[in-house]
Amino acid sequence: MRYIEPHAHMVSRVTDDYQAMVLAGCQAVCEPAFWAGFDRGSVAGFRDYFDQITLHEPKRAAKYLLPHYCWLCINPKESEDTVLADDVLAVIPEYLDRPNVLGIGEIGLNKNSRNELAVFEKHVDLAARHGQLILIHTPHLEDKRKGTRLILDVLKNEKRIDPGRVLIDHVEEHTVRMVLDGGFWGGITLYPESKCTAARAADILEIYSGCNLWMNSACDWGHSDPLAVPKACLELRKRGHSAEEIDRIVYSNPVRFLSQTGKFNEPCGL
Ligand SMILES: [Zn+2]
């Protein structure tokens, strides 16, 4: 099998993870900018991080023949400091032309606060001004439905944004319909504890078969599994889904969405 890992925080992972992903059929990995597990203290910390995911991490992935792409932003968890957020937003354009940068992400909301929403709107404006794709993080658990609604309202009111160029990640049973009905792409995140299990993801995919959805592991520095996507494929195979249908979800759909950047090259096979 072949698949794209469209959401993985590889700076947090060891090289064995790269090897295991490639052996499982991974053809490309995409790394959204993320919270480091602690709040960075200055824009200089973000500059170092943007260099890490645009310059260093692609070289580390290349040792395993894996193309590496990334997304840039200040994560919603760090958006409470609006002065720092403005400083970071001001430097992002310097990095947008780097060859592995796919767009602005993962932006969105975490606790649905006023400051998070203000910084989210500034990111959307930045993406619109620079013609960038957008990758959205939606809140966890009880905040998810409200946060997803707030995010959709901002995006729908921004006439410069084409919903087909926005992917809203971490959708679950109670948010997937509103995302797809709005013309947006949806991402199903597979986590061992929170977010979706392989079985829940398969249930969603069976209901919304043929829709603009992908799956990702969102593996990071916490309890997560860089092989969650191929494991979910096994769940789909056990339920009788064809190899062609699975390939559409985990390979063709990500290629279709990401190719809108013009920077994402369809993998030639490992
Ligand atoms: Zn993430």
Side-chain angles (χ1 to χ4, degrees):
M1 65 166 283
R2 59 179 184 171
Y3 75 98
I4 308 286
E5 174 51 82
H7 188 147
H9 301 290
M10 298 309 292
V11 300
S12 308
R13 309 302 308 194
V14 297
T15 48
D16 282 355
D17 292 331
Y18 272 123
Q19 186 178 51
M21 290 164 71
V22 170
L23 291 174
C26 190
Q27 305 283 308
V29 64
C30 309
E31 174 146 12
F34 186 47
W35 189 51
F38 60 92
D39 291 348
R40 297 171 182 90
S42 69
V43 68
F46 279 88
R47 282 190 177 280
D48 286 344
Y49 178 50
F50 294 157
D51 279 339
Q52 185 180 14
I53 58 177
T54 57
L55 301 176
H56 176 69
E57 204 59 34
K59 287 186 201 151
R60 204 163 76 102
K63 289 186 180 151
Y64 300 88
L65 310 178
L66 193 61
H68 176 282
Y69 299 89
C70 71
W71 302 78
L72 302 178
C73 74
I74 175 168
N75 189 269
K77 279 180 190 276
E78 287 165 299
S79 296
E80 287 303 333
D81 184 343
T82 54
V83 174
L84 175 62
D86 283 344
D87 287 347
V88 176
L89 280 155
V91 303
I92 288 175
E94 296 173 33
Y95 298 84
L96 290 176
D97 287 338
R98 292 195 176 175
N100 75 328
V101 176
L102 298 170
I104 301 298
E106 57 186 295
I107 57 172
L109 300 173
N110 183 51
K111 293 290 179 197
N112 300 334
S113 74
R114 192 182 298 263
N115 284 349
E116 286 177 12
L117 196 57
V119 173
F120 172 64
E121 287 173 336
K122 288 179 182 178
H123 276 107
V124 172
D125 173 66
L126 179 70
R129 281 188 284 115
H130 291 271
Q132 297 291 310
L133 293 185
I134 296 178
L135 179 68
I136 306 250
H137 165 95
T138 50
H140 303 274
L141 304 174
E142 70 272 16
D143 296 321
K144 185 175 289 291
R145 184 196 291 273
K146 182 183 174 203
T148 304
R149 283 233 168 86
L150 287 168
I151 286 165
L152 291 178
D153 284 348
V154 169
L155 293 168
K156 285 176 182 168
N157 287 330
E158 176 50 83
K159 298 298 170 221
R160 294 172 295 170
I161 296 296
D162 171 2
R165 290 171 56 82
V166 180
L167 187 131
I168 298 182
D169 217 338
H170 320 321
V171 298
E172 293 181 8
E173 293 86 345
H174 57 310
T175 57
V176 60
R177 181 179 293 280
M178 66 173 102
V179 166
L180 295 174
D181 283 353
F184 301 94
W185 283 71
I188 301 172
T189 299
L190 303 153
Y191 256 26
E193 287 167 354
S194 58
K195 302 194 170 74
C196 280
T197 59
R200 280 176 61 197
D203 289 346
I204 293 170
L205 290 167
E206 283 168 358
I207 293 166
Y208 296 94
S209 101
C211 292
N212 286 340
L213 290 167
W214 74 27
M215 289 194 291
N216 57 68
S217 75
C219 58
D220 53 29
W221 39 261
H223 188 198
S224 49
D225 181 0
L227 295 183
V229 172
K231 288 175 184 173
C233 293
L234 181 59
E235 171 72 18
L236 290 166
R237 287 305 295 267
K238 284 197 232 167
R239 293 185 182 203
H241 293 275
S242 68
E244 292 73 25
E245 169 64 4
I246 295 167
D247 187 75
R248 190 186 63 75
I249 296 162
V250 298
Y251 182 82
S252 301
N253 276 2
V255 166
R256 220 155 36 90
F257 178 77
L258 298 169
S259 293
Q260 296 182 92
T261 61
K263 286 189 189 168
F264 184 85
N265 301 311
E266 179 163 359
C268 43
L270 291 172

